Amino acid sequence: LKLASAELRADRDVVLVAVAQAGAALQHASDDLRADKGVVLVAIRQNAAAFAFADSVLRADREVVMAAVSVQSNMLRHASEELRGDSEIVRIAALRDAMALEHATEAARNDRDVMLDVVQKHGHALRFANLALQYDWELVLTAIECDAGAMKHAPHDLRTNIHFVCKAVLANSCSLQYAGEEFRANETVFADTIGQQIRACQSANYPLFADTQNTCSVVFAN
């Protein structure tokens, strides 16, 4: 299509055949056809990256954006600002790849329901949450349960809060290594303290922590 005449690049039937075989060929279509929803959707189905070449009107079309991000999350960056703030679109994109949150609006990243869903699958997505959500114990602990490294993205106040750290260790024992330096400066004392705290709030739901002292020792050893 790149070498085709202007007449052929404006011929809908010709362009449909071309983008069905190579979605990126959309970039060589006429302006009118890059604004043709049917043509663009065919191109996206073949190669989601074709969305980047769609007319701005279609990059603000919810159905088209949904089709693109459902296949390739980072296409969110080419969507209109309004749709980069659409909770459902952002959720779909971020569940596929949390890095899509880089392209979401601040309002979407501030949506607790969206972030809670995403951190259940990608704990490290906590880094994209606003400060208020990073202080949300349920959300942060959900992230840590999925990925111990999410503890690194929790505010310092939480990482140095013995009660929070205990809950984090119960959620994911490996998170202990990311506790505040204030605790880790004296690992033996910290292990004793956190062991006592965990035993105090332990329940049958956490059978793996029957030996809390050993759990702490193993984590520090690693």
Side-chain angles (χ1 to χ4, degrees), residues 105-193:
T105 63
E106 183 176 355
R109 295 196 303 272
N110 291 349
D111 187 313
R112 187 180 188 275
D113 291 338
V114 170
M115 293 305 299
L116 190 57
D117 283 347
V118 175
V119 299
Q120 286 178 343
K121 185 175 181 181
H122 307 291
H124 64 279
L126 182 63
R127 62 184 282 206
F128 296 110
N130 70 357
L131 189 58
L133 291 180
Q134 289 180 348
Y135 272 103
D136 183 316
W137 282 35
E138 181 187 2
L139 189 144
V140 177
L141 290 170
T142 298
I144 290 171
E145 183 175 9
C146 172
D147 179 355
M151 181 77 147
K152 294 183 293 186
H153 305 300
H156 182 265
D157 291 355
L158 292 188
R159 289 184 290 108
T160 56
N161 181 312
I162 187 64
H163 302 294
F164 177 81
V165 174
C166 288
K167 288 182 177 292
V169 172
L170 287 172
N172 189 330
S173 62
C174 293
S175 66
L176 187 57
Q177 63 189 298
Y178 302 110
E181 290 296 327
E182 293 86 338
F183 291 134
R184 299 181 65 200
N186 188 330
E187 294 175 358
T188 301
V189 172
F190 181 43
D192 288 341
T193 302

Side-chain angles (χ1 to χ4, degrees), residues 40-144:
V40 171
L41 286 173
V42 169
I44 288 172
R45 292 188 189 106
Q46 200 286 320
N47 182 353
F51 176 65
F53 307 116
D55 184 86
S56 60
V57 171
L58 292 182
R59 286 188 277 114
D61 183 291
R62 200 168 188 277
E63 181 184 357
V64 174
V65 173
M66 192 77 79
V69 303
S70 294
V71 179
Q72 192 168 326
S73 297
N74 66 1
M75 286 299 101
L76 183 63
R77 71 178 185 268
H78 297 297
S80 66
E81 182 174 3
E82 179 182 358
L83 293 183
R84 285 188 289 109
D86 182 292
S87 296
E88 185 179 357
I89 288 176
V90 171
R91 179 186 281 107
I92 288 173
L95 284 174
R96 286 186 57 83
D97 183 350
M99 295 305 294
L101 289 169
E102 285 188 315
H103 310 298
T105 63
E106 183 176 355
R109 295 196 303 272
N110 291 349
D111 187 313
R112 187 180 188 275
D113 291 338
V114 170
M115 293 305 299
L116 190 57
D117 283 347
V118 175
V119 299
Q120 286 178 343
K121 185 175 181 181
H122 307 291
H124 64 279
L126 182 63
R127 62 184 282 206
F128 296 110
N130 70 357
L131 189 58
L133 291 180
Q134 289 180 348
Y135 272 103
D136 183 316
W137 282 35
E138 181 187 2
L139 189 144
V140 177
L141 290 170
T142 298
I144 290 171

